[in-house]
């Protein structure tokens, strides 16, 4: 099971010890089809994690609309199963984090949001 | 909806079985609850989708705004950087907008102008407002000649004849004006780049001054050189240039006492015969006038034959010739020809003709400088000089004008080119050897010349017999010579000698 995606523009990796998926760089893929491998990675993580998943976006400089869409759908999915909790870590110095990450709480009111 | 449909289908399928059975109230309530739940789920799903749509759109807006502001920032940063570059440039930069209003002046520009961007009423005020004057005057610079105003008209222009009058200093400037065009080809801005040319103007002034000094110096140098060459020329009349050249010098100034050189040369001595007698008939002034008239006539004969006059001794000339002896002999012949003309002139005005004797000898000469600290002269030390002088003396004895030594004859390129005959043998003073002396008679009158040439073989035979002391036969031959050429002084002298010897021998 590939728990890591490495490209020139972005890296996504899963650390089982902390149950954290970290996103780094800029992700500008087009449409759900191109985001499918990332969505799959997240689903796999959700399948193995018993209680809580942390999404570390602190070093995610840029994410386009399809990317936000993909993350939002994942959060809805998790909310439905109501099995695990989600924590999202954003950065204060990256402009879009403030607005867009807060919108995740509209989809999952219990979502833990931290800006570091 | 799907659940409700299913319910009715199930009811339909079981209608026969449950025809008589009505659904229990519990069953219905359960069904309603299930449907209610389904509606809730759908509502939630709808809400999710709405949030999703909003979230995505909002995110899209956020990111777009961010990107735009970042791009704008990047541009602004670029502009700031460019402005920083402009500010840092050590030469002045000023910009006018298309209306002629000052738009930008960089730091160096503000320093040079004494002020930055000013609000002007019109571009016509530019020179006045920035105190721009025609260099070196108190006249305001015509605004439409300013390079930046010309740039506003679309020209590239330069000027370096203006200066800025600041409160306590004047700054001379050089300005370049360049127009900046918009896409439509109209002038959007005019840029002026300018720099302080104080140093350059000073350097130019210095250079002019330097050039003038150099020019003066050159002129002085030229004057000095002229003076020196005049001096050298003047000296040349006392110490011959050729003499200096032989010593290896350009100028008399370089000559050191004791400088010397040894050379194979020919020495020519010329003397006016019976000058003492002639001189007694004239007063001192006439004497000098005569000598100078004579010498100035003789000098060209020597110089034109590559010789130089070593010295004048009263009426006598001592001249020196390098290389072959031909120059010396030709000079001697030329002197005699000049003398013939001179005598005709003298006779024409009632003066007695003069006669000269010329003796030429060749040999090794030592040329050098002699004297003490305050009086120095060039001189020639050689036996060859003494012999030349003695040979010159012999011309009087034999009544011929030009005699040369054996050594000179041997140094002629081709003796047959000259009319030459043997005359005598002389003993060199203090030495036992004899030197044969020859007469060169090319300058004789045509009749005498041809008579001497016609008699040459007889004459030579007579001289040979004489040498063998056969005076009888020799005398006969001399008589023969005298029959056709009675004016042959040498033949006459020898005839007399032959007779004397014979009578002397008879007496013994």
């Amino acid at each position: 099971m590939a728990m890591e995606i490495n490209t020139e523009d972005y890296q996504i990796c899963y650390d089982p010890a902390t149950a954290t998926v970290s996103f780094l760089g800029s992700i500008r893929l087009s449409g759900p089809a191109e985001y499918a491998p990332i969505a799959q990675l997240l689903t796999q993580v959700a399948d193995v994690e018993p209680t809580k998943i942390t999404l570390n976006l602190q070093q995610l400089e840029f994410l386009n609309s399809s990317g936000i869409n993909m993350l939002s759908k994942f959060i809805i999915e998790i909310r439905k199963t109501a099995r695990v909790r989600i924590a999202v870590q954003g950065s204060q110095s990256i402009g879009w984090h403030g607005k867009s990450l807060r919108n995740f709480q509209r989809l999952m009111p219990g979502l833990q949001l931290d800006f570091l | 909806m799907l659940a409700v449909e299913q319910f009715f289908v199930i009811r339909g399928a079981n209608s026969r079985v449950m025809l008589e059975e009505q659904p229990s109230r519990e069953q219905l309530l359960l069904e309603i609850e299930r449907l209610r739940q389904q509606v809730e789920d759908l509502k939630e799903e709808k809400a999710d989708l709405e949030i999703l749509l909003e979230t995505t759109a909002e995110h899209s807006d956020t990111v777009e705004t961010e990107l735009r502001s970042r791009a704008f920032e990047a541009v602004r940063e670029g502009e700031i950087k460019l402005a920083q570059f402009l500010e840092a440039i050590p030469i002045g930069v000023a910009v006018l907008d298309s209306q002629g209003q000052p738009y930008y002046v960089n730091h160096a520009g503000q320093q040079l102008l004494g002020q930055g961007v000013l609000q002007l009423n019109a571009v016509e005020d530019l020179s006045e407002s920035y105190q721009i004057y025609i260099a070196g005057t108190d006249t305001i610079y015509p605004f439409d000649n300013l390079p930046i105003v010309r740039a506003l008209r679309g020209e590239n222009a330069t000027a370096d004849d203006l200066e800025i009058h600041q409160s306590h200093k004047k700054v001379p400037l050089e300005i370049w004006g360049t127009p900046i065009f918009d896409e439509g080809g109209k002038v959007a801005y005019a840029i002026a780049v300018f720099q302080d040319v104080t140093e350059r103007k000073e350097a130019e002034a210095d250079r002019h001054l330097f050039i003038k000094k150099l020019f003066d110096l050159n002129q002085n140098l030229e004057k000095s050189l002229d003076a020196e060459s005049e001096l050298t020329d003047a000296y040349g009349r006392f110490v011959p240039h050729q003499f200096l050249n032989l010593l290896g010098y350009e100028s008399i100034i370089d000559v050191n006492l004791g400088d010397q050189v040894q050379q194979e040369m020919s020495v020519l001595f010329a003397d006016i015969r019976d000058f003492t007698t002639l001189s007694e008939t004239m007063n001192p002034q006439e004497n000098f006038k005569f000598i100078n008239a004579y010498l100035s006539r003789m000098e060209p004969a020597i110089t034109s034959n590559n010789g130089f006059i070593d010295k004048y001794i009263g009426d006598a000339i001592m001249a020196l010739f390098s290389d072959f002896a031909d120059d010396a002999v030709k000079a001697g012949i030329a002197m005699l020809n000049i003398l013939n003309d001179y005598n005709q002139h003298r006779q024409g005005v009632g003066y007695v003709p003069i006669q000269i004797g010329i003796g030429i000898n060749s040999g090794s000469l030592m040329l050098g400088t002699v004297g003490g600290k305050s009086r120095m002269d060039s001189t020639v030390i050689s036996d060859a000089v003494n012999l030349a002088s003695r040979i010159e003396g012999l011309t009087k004895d034999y009544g011929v004008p030009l005699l040369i030594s054996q050594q000179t004859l041997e140094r002629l390129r081709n003796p047959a080119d000259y009319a030459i005959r043997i005359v005598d043998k002389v003993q060199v003073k203090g030495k036992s050897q004899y030197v044969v002396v020859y007469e060169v008679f090319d300058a004789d009158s045509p009749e005498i010349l041809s008579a001497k040439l016609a008699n040459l073989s007889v004459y030579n035979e007579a001289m040979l017999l004489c040498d063998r002391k056969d005076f009888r036969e020799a005398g006969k031959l001399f008589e023969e010579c005298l029959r056709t050429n009675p004016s042959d002084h040498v033949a006459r002298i020898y005839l007399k000698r032959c007779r004397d010897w014979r009578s002397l021998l008879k007496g013994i």
Side-chain angles (χ1 to χ4, degrees), chain B residues 60-93:
Chain B
S60 192
D61 291 348
T62 308
V63 169
E64 194 197 310
T65 310
E66 203 171 298
L67 283 179
R68 188 176 299 163
S69 73
R70 212 181 285 175
F72 186 72
E73 217 165 87
V75 170
R76 244 172 57 85
E77 247 171 55
E79 278 175 358
I80 287 167
K81 248 177 215 163
L82 281 178
Q84 280 174 337
F85 292 161
L86 280 177
E87 284 298 311
I89 289 174
I91 54 175
V93 177

Side-chain angles (χ1 to χ4, degrees), chain B residues 337-377:
Chain B
N337 286 331
I338 289 166
L339 184 73
N340 286 338
D341 292 346
Y342 181 49
N343 276 336
Q344 275 181 13
H345 163 74
R346 283 181 66 85
Q347 280 171 311
V349 293
Y351 292 139
V352 286
I354 56 167
Q355 284 186 304
I356 64 167
I358 301 169
I360 301 173
N361 182 37
S362 303
S364 180
L365 270 67
M366 283 183 292
L367 290 84
T369 49
V370 292
K373 262 183 194 166
S374 54
R375 174 80 169 94
M376 198 163 87
D377 202 355

Side-chain angles (χ1 to χ4, degrees), chain A residues 61-66 68-69 72-73 76 79-80 94-96 99-100 103 106-107, chain B residues 44-45 47-52 54-63 66-67 70:
Chain A
E61 298 284 340
F62 182 83
L63 186 68
N64 64 6
S65 299
S66 296
I68 277 289
N69 205 310
S72 301
K73 279 179 175 167
I76 292 168
R79 185 197 67 203
K80 278 181 180 165
I94 298 173
W96 61 271
K99 262 191 181 166
S100 297
N103 275 335
R106 287 175 66 191
L107 294 168
Chain B
E44 195 179 81
E45 211 166 307
D48 278 352
L49 284 172
E50 275 170 2
I51 292 169
L52 206 60
E54 277 172 33
T55 305
T56 309
E58 211 172 292
H59 177 77
S60 192
D61 291 348
T62 308
V63 169
E66 203 171 298
L67 283 179
R70 212 181 285 175

Side-chain angles (χ1 to χ4, degrees), chain B residues 93-164:
Chain B
V93 177
V95 181
L96 290 186
D97 67 16
S98 57
Q99 302 308 305
Q101 278 295 334
Y103 174 81
Y104 171 77
V105 180
N106 74 346
H107 180 72
Q110 290 180 24
Q111 296 284 317
L112 292 173
L113 297 173
Q115 46 201 341
V117 172
L118 298 176
Q119 278 300 118
L120 301 184
N121 291 326
V123 71
E124 283 80 359
D125 296 344
L126 204 57
S127 290
E128 184 83 52
S129 302
Y130 285 95
Q131 289 291 292
I132 307 170
Y133 288 81
I134 295 173
T137 72
D138 283 323
T139 309
I140 287 285
Y141 202 88
F143 85 97
D144 52 353
N145 281 357
L146 288 171
I148 197 165
V149 176
R150 292 174 62 186
L152 215 52
R153 297 197 296 259
E155 296 173 40
N156 280 295
T158 64
D160 64 351
D161 59 341
L162 39 74
E163 60 191 18
I164 300 292

